Amino acid sequence: MSRVALKSHDTAVKKAGAGSNIRWDIFKIQPGWVGVMASSEGICRLTLPQPGQTEALIELNPPAESIRTDNLFNSLATKLESYFKGNSTDFPFSLDLSGYTQFESLVYKACVRIPYGQTASYGQIARLIGYPKAARAVGQALHKNLVPLIIPCHRVIAANGKTGGFNGGINIKCWLLTLEARKPSG
């Protein structure tokens, strides 16, 4: 089982020396093409499935100096394939959140603890991390998440049961929640 550190895209690229140590790959899983990028510190970007390689590459946007590395992310690809087949899947990759603020890190750590097939509200996350009036700030932090699915921000919904926002779009969020057997109202 691999242990991979995660950093924000910008921080990882800067620490890697303008992309010289950035490795990336694009691979096909069911339901589409996924891009992943990592510095020597760990994964710094994961795209949601895209319809083609070109779209995945555009979404990933690796630095020009970075190197495409085939088969580096086989463990992640296997986990994602299992997830998209509807299996309860954990992503045992360790998180290095140094590229994020302390608040964002707290939000992401709380979000990772939401079990597959379950949801939590923005307010519940805010209370859990000790900021009971920061539900909107939780949403803003989740909007900056560069590693969706591993940090399962799609599992965070509004207190009234509606989906709330999602970087990948509300339809994708609803699809992921339905995949995990949750069907919030829209």
Side-chain angles (χ1 to χ4, degrees):
M1 189 177 295
S2 66
R3 306 293 295 172
V4 180
L6 301 173
K7 293 198 169 294
S8 89
H9 179 252
D10 292 340
T11 300
V13 171
K14 287 176 188 172
K15 285 188 175 187
S20 61
N21 291 326
I22 298 291
R23 305 274 188 252
W24 63 273
D25 196 13
I26 295 172
F27 46 84
K28 187 168 183 7
I29 61 169
Q30 188 58 268
W33 290 86
V34 173
V36 63
M37 190 173 1
S39 71
S40 57
E41 303 275 333
I43 294 174
C44 55
R45 181 83 169 97
L46 176 66
T47 70
L48 292 169
Q50 302 295 313
Q53 285 180 295
T54 301
E55 293 91 339
L57 182 59
I58 290 168
E59 183 74 17
L60 187 63
N61 193 27
E65 309 82 21
S66 62
I67 300 168
R68 185 168 186 176
T69 308
D70 295 332
N71 304 318
L72 180 63
F73 304 104
N74 285 343
S75 176
L76 177 60
T78 300
K79 290 284 190 179
L80 289 169
E81 189 75 44
S82 178
Y83 175 83
F84 284 111
K85 287 181 180 175
N87 298 316
S88 177
T89 305
D90 67 327
F91 293 97
F93 306 99
S94 60
L95 301 174
D96 179 349
L97 302 174
S98 62
Y100 298 98
T101 67
Q102 181 181 4
F103 180 82
E104 290 164 346
S105 295
L106 290 170
V107 170
Y108 298 153
K109 288 174 184 176
C111 191
V112 167
R113 293 193 304 257
I114 304 169
Y116 180 96
Q118 295 183 26
T119 60
S121 73
Y122 297 99
Q124 286 173 318
I125 296 294
R127 287 187 297 278
L128 182 67
I129 64 171
Y131 293 88
K133 296 182 181 193
R136 285 186 191 265
V138 166
Q140 291 169 345
L142 293 175
H143 183 73
K144 296 177 184 178
N145 179 13
L146 295 173
V147 285
L149 304 176
I150 295 173
I151 298 173
C153 56
H154 64 279
R155 294 180 188 154
V156 183
I157 62 173
N160 63 6
K162 296 193 183 233
T163 56
F166 186 63
N167 246 359
I170 297 302
N171 290 341
I172 300 295
K173 184 172 185 172
C174 289
W175 175 63
L176 293 171
L177 292 171
T178 300
L179 179 72
E180 295 185 15
R182 292 285 182 230
K183 298 176 186 173
S185 57

